[in-house]
Amino acid sequence: MDDWTIKTVFDAGGSGLQITRTIHYVNGARYISKNWRIENTKDKTFTEMRFMHGGDTYFAGADEARSYWNQDLGMVYLKNDGISGLMGFYGAPGYKPDGYAAGDYDRGDTLSLYGQLPNETTSAYDDAGYYLQWNRNEMGPGEVWEIKSYEKWTEAADVQVIAPGDISSNPGKEVECSFYVQNFLEAGTFTLKAISAKGWETVCPESIEIDGNSSARVTVAVALPADETAQTDTLTLTATSTAVPTVSNSDNVQITMAPVVHPVLTGIDATEGDNGQKRQLILSGENFSPSAKGNTVRFVSTNRVFDTWNLAGASETQMVVEVPKGAPIDVYHLRVINVNGTSVLSDDTYEVSQSALPLPEVTDVSPVTGQQGKSTTITITGTGFNPDLIGAELFLPGKTVELAGVTFVSSTEVTAEIPAGCAKGVYSIRVKNGDDLFNDVSAVRFEVLPVKDLTGIIENFSSTGIVQLPSDTRIPTNVTLTTDDSTDYAVHDCVLDIEALFEKGLSMEENQGTWNDYAGAINPPRQVPTPDDISEALGDEAVVFTLGGKNLLRFKDGKTVLVKIKVRMPNGTSEPSIYYLPPTGEAELAGIDGEKDGQSYEKGGTVLDTRQDVPEAGYTTYTIGVLLDHMSTYAAGVESESNNSDGSCFIGASSASGGAGKLWATLAALFCFFMAVRITGKNYTRCDRC
């Protein structure tokens, strides 16, 4: 422990939850880190857990302030009249909050005790506080929940630079630091300068244009040296107005480089097992996490991926995992993912074979997202579905949602309706042939998302969720929709990072037999399982994603949307392209030829950046930009020469995902330091040491 760190360990009443809170300040910096480690020390399981932190604030010499939310950063922040600086609270990378509130602090305290923040700020000049909320579905005996956050304040200026949370990586790697530049002036251009205190190589845009009262993301790449010595660098980004050079500001992030300690998987104690029941495997290796569920074990085949976690009793060199009942039949390599990083794929394989009495397997769903508060009809794809099936459901640990209208179509297809009351979450899908004939894992997830109405939005807006167009059908401001950065699940070993920019004034129309103006919702980009025919045409590394709505959406007046896709391919393969996958007919290169912001783009995409041996040795990560004139389902991959020998397009009609008692613990830790734990049917108990 040093002079700038405070660590407090305490129990959350008699719940069996032990909390370690660590507050750290870097001398001279303009932020403090606030981290919590919550351990379940009892032989019981908590579900639907919520942790909140917040309370009264005092900024720039005043109790009163106006409050704001930055979706890109996941930051709630305050500003005072006449003061151009800000004070904010946000989650560290990988710890984005699930809820927020700001405004009158008395109301915030009350909302925290109710166990759910409303995702609201206020423009009123209140005696203000701010609050963040993190959720966890389940926490079993011996498991640990970690939450990391930052509270920061900035210098007074009409441009603000907000750095990401501190970053750790390994020697020889390249890290990308996402800063946000907030412009409180009229629209203008800002020059950018990135400086590494240790002189490490950086790549940074020279300038950026930002609308008035809006923010924009600036990504700075830093190449870490190959030296194995542990060391810490400070990366500073400065933004300066070209119109008013005195308007300038900067912020910095600490980058810690440490020797590689990635998990290593060296052995699996079995090679095969049928999926009629859950089965335990003993894994051997190095740098495992000893915490219960501290290691995600990812089973990876060509087109199927599912995750499981280690049981209690793991060590750094050995752990036990369960292969769930009903796991999809295939031959899998394994990866281990934990706080130390991600292992390479195992050399050894494990084969999931069919049980004597076949169980349902769920391998795909369409669509992959639905709106919270609105029912959604889905098509579930897999094998082993029985005409006499008794139902289907979405499930999370400790929670199930029964689906309505479950209809058998064939042994490989079932339709059902997700009820409007289904809560936000990323759910596995279960099909039940009988009382004990069901799957406990699916190779795909369905995501229920809240909807953000864009009506009245004037600042640039970014979201991983669904947005609703205003009644005039036009995008009111620049809107960026992205994939979720969660590592909790995957549908392919190559996880896509996608960003789609919808410019202000854009409008679109929907194909419902005829083209009509569209004023509905826009689904964010989401990766979906890769069908076999796409893998055959574009290789085992081919990946598929969707964007848009239920039906084909195209942009009016010749407009386009710039989509940037980060995709990984084995070293030595050709550069990948982006393909449009229509519901019927043959695939074709996606997008159009065109230019945006001085950059030319080709049909099928233009490679904007190449990173070799990223994210691991033997692979190259490509950043591809493509100008889309419509939204639907797409694939990224490398066309096989044998599939195009006659010059024709190579993919036939594809089945890719189209379209486009309960124990409740609520943890609330406030700046005024109280925490409450509620068990269903009982009152809150109060802990005064949070």
Side-chain angles (χ1 to χ4, degrees), residues 379-400:
T379 299
I380 303 169
T381 304
T383 61
F385 302 155
N386 193 308
D388 300 321
L389 59 85
I390 62 172
E393 58 193 19
L394 303 183
F395 66 97
L396 294 169
K399 180 178 182 177
T400 59

Side-chain angles (χ1 to χ4, degrees), residues 418-645:
I418 296 171
C422 186
K424 173 187 174 183
V426 182
Y427 295 85
S428 296
I429 304 164
R430 176 182 289 138
V431 172
K432 299 187 290 185
N433 281 346
D435 290 338
D436 196 40
L437 300 175
F438 54 82
N439 58 295
D440 273 338
V441 69
S442 60
V444 68
R445 306 290 180 96
F446 184 85
E447 190 172 4
V448 178
L449 293 166
V451 180
K452 176 66 175 180
D453 191 340
L454 296 179
T455 303
I457 300 293
I458 58 175
E459 293 188 2
N460 288 352
F461 180 76
S462 178
S463 177
T464 63
I466 299 171
V467 295
Q468 171 66 45
L469 289 172
S471 58
D472 66 3
T473 74
R474 293 190 176 275
I475 300 282
T477 186
N478 290 342
V479 174
T480 302
L481 297 183
T482 66
T483 45
D484 193 343
D485 60 1
S486 172
T487 58
D488 290 343
Y489 72 98
V491 296
H492 194 283
D493 193 40
C494 171
V495 179
L496 291 174
D497 183 352
I498 307 171
E499 177 182 280
L501 173 61
F502 299 78
E503 294 183 333
K504 180 179 179 179
L506 189 73
S507 60
M508 59 200 75
E509 51 191 3
E510 180 182 28
N511 186 358
Q512 294 179 312
T514 60
W515 290 100
N516 301 296
D517 287 347
Y518 184 69
I522 303 175
N523 294 325
R526 285 297 185 267
Q527 190 170 354
V528 298
T530 304
D532 291 339
D533 57 345
I534 303 300
S535 294
E536 292 170 2
L538 297 179
D540 291 347
E541 301 292 328
V543 284
V544 177
F545 67 95
T546 66
L547 171 67
K550 179 179 179 181
N551 299 312
L552 182 66
L553 299 176
R554 72 180 183 188
F555 307 113
K556 298 175 66 175
D557 305 319
K559 301 292 187 180
T560 58
V561 163
L562 174 60
V563 178
K564 295 181 179 179
I565 305 110
K566 289 185 179 179
V567 59
R568 181 204 72 189
M569 292 288 164
N571 290 348
T573 59
S574 301
E575 292 182 348
S577 297
I578 309 300
Y579 297 89
Y580 164 51
L581 306 180
T584 60
E586 295 183 336
E588 58 190 57
L589 289 173
I592 64 172
D593 294 334
E595 182 177 308
K596 190 175 288 289
D597 298 331
Q599 171 69 52
S600 296
Y601 295 91
E602 297 179 351
K603 188 172 185 177
T606 297
V607 174
L608 305 175
D609 187 48
T610 302
R611 306 293 189 204
Q612 192 165 352
D613 291 329
V614 174
E616 63 184 87
Y619 290 89
T620 298
T621 293
Y622 296 90
T623 300
I624 303 172
V626 60
L627 294 177
L628 296 182
D629 55 358
H630 67 269
M631 293 185 289
S632 186
T633 303
Y634 303 89
V638 179
E639 179 184 356
S640 168
E641 293 183 5
S642 61
N643 281 319
N644 199 24
S645 58

Side-chain angles (χ1 to χ4, degrees), residues 51-128:
F51 183 95
M52 297 159 201
H53 186 80
D56 195 6
T57 58
Y58 190 81
F59 175 55
D63 255 347
E64 292 74 21
R66 305 187 194 279
S67 58
Y68 304 85
W69 168 253
N70 185 302
Q71 176 69 29
D72 296 320
L73 278 170
M75 180 175 75
V76 63
Y77 66 97
L78 306 176
K79 283 179 57 64
N80 293 84
D81 288 351
I83 301 294
S84 53
L86 59 85
M87 173 180 175
F89 179 36
Y90 60 110
Y95 297 88
K96 195 169 185 177
D98 297 293
Y100 64 91
D104 180 79
Y105 81 91
D106 280 333
R107 182 170 183 268
D109 288 356
T110 301
L111 290 169
S112 296
L113 282 176
Y114 283 145
Q116 180 61 54
L117 299 181
N119 295 345
E120 293 177 355
T121 60
T122 176
S123 60
Y125 204 51
D126 288 331
D127 187 350

Side-chain angles (χ1 to χ4, degrees), residues 141-142 290-293 310-314 320:
S291 300
K293 287 193 176 179
N310 66 285
L311 304 179
V320 177

Side-chain angles (χ1 to χ4, degrees), residues 141-160:
E143 291 183 18
V144 172
W145 182 13
E146 289 191 319
I147 298 168
K148 299 181 180 181
S149 69
Y150 295 93
E151 186 177 12
K152 75 179 302 149
W153 54 97
T154 66
E155 296 285 353
D158 287 322
V159 60
Q160 294 294 327

Side-chain angles (χ1 to χ4, degrees), residues 257-292:
M257 184 181 76
V260 177
V261 291
H262 287 169
V264 178
L265 180 56
T266 58
I268 308 170
D269 77 326
T271 59
E272 185 269 343
D274 70 63
N275 65 357
Q277 61 185 27
K278 62 183 179 183
R279 298 185 179 279
Q280 292 190 351
L281 297 179
I282 300 175
L283 307 185
S284 303
E286 301 173 8
N287 301 322
F288 295 164
S289 169
S291 300

